[in-house]
Amino acid sequence: DCTTCLSEVPASKCPKLECGHRKCHACLQKNFEQSLNDSQQMPPMCCDIPIQLHLVDGLLDSSFKRKWNRKFVEYATQNRIYCPRCGEWIKPTSTHRDRISGRTMGQCERCDERVCVSCRNKWHYPRRCLKDGEAHKDEGWSHCYKCNSVSKPQEGRLRIHCRCGAKYCVICGGKWKSCDC
C-alpha cells in the first residue's frame, strides 16, 4: 500500500523507500513535480530521507529530468541571486568582479540583465549601492531574510514577497507570520 495516498498498489508499482515506507508511482511523480516549485520540498523526502532518483528514473521524461537537475543545483546554492527583470536564477558561474568598480556583477543568461551581487538589484554603477551604508533603511528599503536582496514594499503593505519566494515582514524583516508585528 502507498503510505501517501493509501491506495492498494502492487509492489512492482509501489517501490520501497530507504525508510521502509512505500510510495506509488503517481505519488512519487507528484513529489518530484512539486519539488520544482518549492525549495522546501527539494529534494523530495520521506521520513527526512531523500527519495532515491533511481526509483523515479522510468517515470520522468528526459526534459523533466534536466529541469529537475537544474532546480536541484539552484536550490542547493547558498545565497542565490535572481534577475530583477525576469526572475531567472543567476548561476554563480555567471558572476564576475567588475574591473572598474571592483564590485561583483552577475549576468542573467535569459535576458542579459546585469545585476549587483551585493544588493541583488539592477547593476547601478557608478551610483552608490544600497548595501553601502544604512541610508536605504530610512527610505523604507529592507533585506530579505532568505536571499538578502533589497526590496521596497508597496505602500500600505506589511509584507514583502521576494523574488526568491520568501515572504517577510516589512517591520522586523522576519519570516512572514512568524513575528508579533
Side-chain angles (χ1 to χ4, degrees):
D1 292 356
C2 175
T3 55
T4 303
C5 68
L6 304 176
S7 297
E8 289 185 31
V9 181
S12 63
K13 294 186 179 183
C14 198
K16 190 174 188 178
L17 307 177
E18 283 190 37
C19 62
H21 290 126
R22 290 187 174 273
K23 283 196 181 222
C24 69
H25 287 173
C27 288
L28 283 171
Q29 190 167 358
K30 186 175 181 181
N31 286 154
F32 275 80
E33 288 170 355
Q34 289 173 332
S35 71
L36 280 179
N37 301 314
D38 186 354
S39 62
Q40 300 294 320
Q41 294 184 40
M42 180 66 84
M45 297 193 189
C46 187
C47 299
D48 291 328
I49 301 171
I51 297 171
Q52 298 299 307
L53 295 176
H54 71 87
L55 297 174
V56 294
D57 193 42
L59 304 175
L60 308 170
D61 63 34
S62 58
S63 170
F64 181 88
K65 289 177 195 175
R66 279 192 302 276
K67 195 184 304 182
W68 190 88
N69 285 328
R70 186 176 190 284
K71 276 292 185 185
F72 180 80
V73 172
E74 174 184 341
Y75 290 155
T77 301
Q78 296 292 316
N79 300 315
R80 295 185 295 271
I81 301 166
Y82 293 92
C83 176
R85 181 190 292 165
C86 71
E88 181 77 3
W89 171 54
I90 298 174
K91 298 175 188 171
T93 56
S94 295
T95 63
H96 66 278
R97 185 164 301 280
D98 180 60
R99 285 177 278 154
I100 298 169
S101 68
R103 292 195 173 277
T104 305
M105 174 195 335
Q107 184 127 15
C108 179
E109 291 179 5
R110 182 189 292 163
C111 73
D112 245 12
E113 182 72 57
R114 294 182 309 160
V115 180
C116 174
V117 171
S118 294
C119 68
R120 288 160 164 68
N121 285 299
K122 289 182 179 183
W123 184 246
H124 46 76
Y125 181 79
R127 289 190 329 249
R128 213 174 105 209
C129 180
L130 291 171
K131 291 284 274 189
D132 294 342
E134 301 295 312
H136 65 278
K137 286 186 179 177
D138 297 335
E139 298 167 13
W141 293 84
S142 62
H143 291 275
C144 174
Y145 70 91
K146 192 172 180 183
C147 74
N148 207 31
S149 67
V150 182
S151 299
K152 189 169 186 174
Q154 293 177 343
E155 194 169 326
R157 308 287 308 262
L158 295 178
R159 177 189 70 180
I160 292 180
H161 189 115
C162 185
R163 58 183 160 257
C164 74
K167 294 175 186 164
Y168 62 97
C169 176
V170 170
I171 297 167
C172 71
K175 189 174 182 179
W176 184 245
K177 293 190 177 180
S178 68
C179 61
D180 295 325
C181 297

